[in-house]
Amino acid sequence: MLLCLCTLLVGAQGKKVLELKEVVGGAFRSENIYGVIPIPGDGEHYSQMNREGTQVIKYSFKSGKQVEVLFDAATARECPFKRFDSYSFSPDGSKLLIATQTTPIYRHSYTAVHYLYSLKRNLEGKINNVVERLSDGGPQQVPVFSPDGNMVAFVRDNNIYLVKLLYGNSESQVTEDGKRNQVLNGIPDWVYEEEFAMDRALEFSADSKMLAYIRWDESAVPSYNFPLFAGERPHISSYEKYPGEYVYKYPKTGEVNSKVSVHSFDIKSKVTRKINVPLDEDGYIPRIRFTKDANKLAVMTLNRHQNRLDLYFADPRSTVCKLILRDESDKYIKEATFDNICFYDQNFSFLSERNGYNHLYWYTMNGNLQKQVTDGQFEVKEFIGYDAQTGSFFFTSNEESPLRKAVYKVDRKGKKTKLSAQVGTNNAQFSTDLKYFMNRYSNLNTPTVITLNDCNGKVLTTLIDNQKLQNKLAAYAMPQKEFFTFTTQQGTQLNGWMMKPADFNANKKYPVLLYQYSGPGSQQVLDQFSVSWETYMASHGYIVVCVDGRGTGGRGAEFEKCTYLSLGVKEAEDQVETALFMSNQPYVDKARIGIWGWSYGGYMTIMSMSEGRPVFKAGVAVAPVTDWNYYDTIYGERFMRTPKENTSGYEASSAFHRAEQLNGNLLLVHGMADDNVHFQNCAEYAERLVQLGKQFDMHVYTNRNHSIYGGNTRLHLYTKITNFFDRELLQK
């Protein structure tokens, strides 16, 4: 039975029709506040770049009002740039590190030319107002201040450098063996960056006397290469006549990974030591982090199966490691665990699914469990911080519903207080002393509302209410969005949302378009606001449906990890069940049901169209994985183990294995410069369909990565997908 929980109330009264160009171009994107950084050592203020990228402005956490301009490129002395891309503070908040000429590398990594700017005032209350270049040796990666603010370490060309600010910004080289596609110091290889969400592995000790870093030796890792053409946006003139190629190290499931090791560098004596980390030959080191104790470097390790996480405290001088905590799973440890481990003077935080749901645990620095902070059939999403003065823990969780997220505080007596007042999706950014927080809230009905609140949840001021967007949407004939649940034939209850055209008529028969991602731990069915391409399609005569099947997040470890060792099978079954459920609705034309997705969602499109029950007339798979043999070690093996260990699982999870069952008209789309899901996935699967005599459509984007954007690319892509579904589903 269809269960409607909530509907999109904006619109329906207007008459204007959504245009594809304005939707794809972000004309209905909620106004937001970007680049907010709480000022270190100052719980009363936060900072933000202005939209032009020319100033760093200081604001009050209490009032949201501008207090002063901390930096202005137009008035700073000896400033060689007119605008900048990002900035960061020294730990005491007395210096800025300003990034210019930023050049992306992969998802998180980039190089930039950095500049230093002091915020210290003289006896007359004035600042020096001079911009200094961090280094003259070329662009830098991952610069990090020492805790005392007197040094900056960074990486250039895979080697670590150290700049001493008190000695005329003198620069020295810490490592010398860094070399592209061979050795990386202080920065991760491709697979660590992508799957462990890290861009830096370079840390100062609390007393600023030591550096610690991870070294990756990727020389034995197989290379992957793809062609690069001249293109247009951007244009690469050197490839106008003969294409170039990009070559990098990419370990695919079952192949050799980088050899990783942890090292310390004594800044005074210049002695480098290798830390004796007890690590499996093929194990991972996803994080290192110095604790408040300069003699304790936290080293986190995983075995290759990623079901055993060990936390060691290493002495950076003696190199001896002591095991502090071990967490194990019968399936896998989620990567979100690492950044929720936070160190305090006497304790550290830890998130674990050991009782079936992700919860917050509090340990002493000796590794003894002091208490379990949260418990229940819900998930803690993020540990925000601990206030030692009040003994309070701050975190977000989905206690209200798997579809929602709220901000909470638990005091030392265990009393829990909900700090976010509105029901929907809340994301909090706290001041450094946890006395204030900026809350970003939205739900199906409400575009983002940004408020400043005190630590008890009281709203102090509203910074953004997006009323202009509300008024703008009121002029359009907006589709209605509603939540629903249904039970599959296998007895699983699934959550979904549905958008019907604004002029929906229950006596008509509509085509249905399923949108999904479906990847492990992901969630698309959430109580938050968006106007997307799916909204556009619903406004043009489709019923658009999204269902989070088995394997998705928010509902505990058992639901999320039930796809272990056989990705794609249960998820495809659930999408077929969704289509069958929709086909039984009196207002649905069951002969006109389509499905689409991107990345894992593209993979799921193909798997669902090949599940064996011919329910889909058409589908679009953008940048899909087609066989887990083609994907990387960390992600692929986390859920599938290696091809050698799980041969039958890899076969069942392969789109090739069920290609003969492909039913419906398929459009394959891929970027040729996709460094994540390689074009190989699309090319080999297309060849398989050709040899099976199955017709399909295919479009390739020159020089585009996994996100397929740049210039006119996104509009072209969504126009192509729209035209494909209009041809296949709108015409009876």
Side-chain angles (χ1 to χ4, degrees), residues 151-338:
M151 291 175 284
V152 176
F154 65 84
V155 174
R156 178 192 294 123
D157 298 329
N158 292 7
N159 279 313
I160 299 169
Y161 293 79
L162 183 65
V163 174
K164 295 182 178 179
L165 308 182
L166 298 181
Y167 294 87
N169 295 359
S170 64
E171 183 176 316
S172 59
Q173 190 167 341
V174 175
T175 66
E176 297 184 350
D177 60 344
K179 187 176 180 182
R180 175 168 167 75
N181 286 339
Q182 290 192 26
V183 172
L184 305 94
N185 293 292
I187 53 172
D189 64 4
W190 184 93
V191 70
Y192 269 72
E193 176 179 337
E194 176 66 25
E195 306 302 358
F196 287 146
M198 63 188 302
D199 65 352
R200 190 186 80 218
L202 176 62
E203 301 281 332
F204 278 97
S205 60
D207 59 6
S208 301
K209 294 180 179 180
M210 303 286 288
L211 269 175
Y213 61 94
I214 302 177
R215 177 184 184 271
W216 280 263
D217 181 350
E218 63 177 1
S219 55
V221 176
S223 296
Y224 186 85
N225 63 287
F226 51 80
L228 290 172
F229 301 92
E232 286 195 20
R233 297 284 298 271
H235 179 68
I236 310 172
S237 58
S238 58
Y239 298 154
E240 283 177 355
K241 199 162 187 178
Y242 293 94
E245 70 171 353
Y246 187 81
V247 182
Y248 69 118
K249 296 302 183 91
Y250 185 108
K252 302 203 173 193
T253 49
E255 300 293 332
V256 175
N257 275 314
S258 293
K259 299 297 182 185
V260 288
S261 52
V262 180
H263 303 261
S264 65
F265 175 75
D266 190 311
I267 294 170
K268 185 176 181 180
S269 68
K270 298 185 179 180
V271 173
T272 299
R273 301 176 176 91
K274 181 179 179 181
I275 306 297
N276 293 313
V277 182
L279 182 70
D280 295 348
E281 179 69 19
D282 56 357
Y284 298 108
I285 304 177
R287 294 289 188 280
I288 57 170
R289 194 172 295 129
F290 265 107
T291 67
K292 304 291 185 183
D293 184 341
N295 297 314
K296 290 180 180 178
L297 170 68
V299 180
M300 304 174 203
T301 72
L302 281 176
N303 59 337
R304 183 148 178 173
H305 284 162
Q306 299 174 65
N307 61 358
R308 186 187 74 239
L309 168 64
D310 287 338
L311 173 64
Y312 293 96
F313 284 165
D315 187 311
R317 290 185 172 82
S318 72
T319 76
V320 173
C321 287
K322 179 183 179 182
L323 179 64
I324 298 299
L325 174 65
R326 170 171 287 181
D327 197 37
E328 294 183 279
S329 168
D330 60 347
K331 294 182 175 68
Y332 55 87
I333 303 285
K334 296 202 290 188
E335 77 279 6
T337 302
F338 314 131

Side-chain angles (χ1 to χ4, degrees), residues 512-547:
V512 171
L513 177 60
L514 268 57
Y515 161 67
Q516 44 67 52
Y517 179 75
S518 302
S522 66
Q523 282 185 268
Q524 305 302 119
V525 182
L526 292 167
D527 193 5
Q528 61 188 20
F529 182 86
S530 70
V531 176
S532 62
W533 176 77
E534 289 76 25
T535 315
Y536 167 79
M537 294 298 279
S539 73
H540 283 71
Y542 294 83
I543 293 177
V544 182
V545 174
C546 178
V547 166

Side-chain angles (χ1 to χ4, degrees), residues 509-677:
K509 295 280 190 178
Y510 291 88
V512 171
L513 177 60
L514 268 57
Y515 161 67
Q516 44 67 52
Y517 179 75
S518 302
S522 66
Q523 282 185 268
Q524 305 302 119
V525 182
L526 292 167
D527 193 5
Q528 61 188 20
F529 182 86
S530 70
V531 176
S532 62
W533 176 77
E534 289 76 25
T535 315
Y536 167 79
M537 294 298 279
S539 73
H540 283 71
Y542 294 83
I543 293 177
V544 182
V545 174
C546 178
V547 166
D548 281 340
R550 285 171 291 177
T552 57
R555 298 176 60 177
E558 183 179 354
F559 186 87
E560 180 174 330
K561 297 180 179 181
C562 71
T563 61
Y564 186 60
L565 300 182
S566 59
L567 289 180
V569 178
K570 290 184 175 69
E571 303 97 301
E573 193 173 73
D574 287 348
Q575 293 305 314
V576 170
E577 288 287 315
T578 301
L580 291 172
F581 170 76
M582 290 305 301
S583 70
N584 288 327
Q585 307 310 311
Y587 45 80
V588 168
D589 183 347
K590 64 181 181 182
R592 294 187 292 151
I593 299 178
I595 183 172
W596 97 282
W598 196 311
S599 192
Y600 200 101
Y603 163 64
M604 194 46 47
T605 293
I606 297 171
M607 293 293 282
S608 300
M609 293 176 71
S610 312
E611 191 258 5
R613 290 176 284 181
V615 295
F616 296 108
K617 186 175 186 292
V620 175
V622 181
V625 173
T626 56
D627 192 298
W628 293 105
N629 280 283
Y630 296 149
Y631 205 57
D632 71 63
T633 48
I634 294 178
Y635 188 93
E637 293 175 15
R638 180 184 299 152
F639 309 115
M640 295 288 289
R641 297 204 171 181
T642 66
K644 188 175 181 180
E645 293 173 294
N646 184 23
T647 304
S648 60
Y650 272 77
E651 182 177 319
S653 297
S654 171
F656 292 80
H657 176 66
R658 49 172 71 178
E660 289 188 9
Q661 298 177 188
L662 178 68
N663 185 271
N665 297 317
L666 174 66
L667 170 61
L668 292 172
V669 179
H670 221 111
M672 289 193 71
D674 193 331
D675 61 281
N676 184 352
V677 180

Side-chain angles (χ1 to χ4, degrees), residues 34-54:
Y34 298 100
V36 170
I37 301 178
I39 297 178
D42 174 4
E44 296 293 322
H45 301 96
Y46 64 90
S47 67
Q48 185 191 1
M49 276 173 56
N50 64 351
R51 290 184 178 181
E52 295 75 24
T54 59

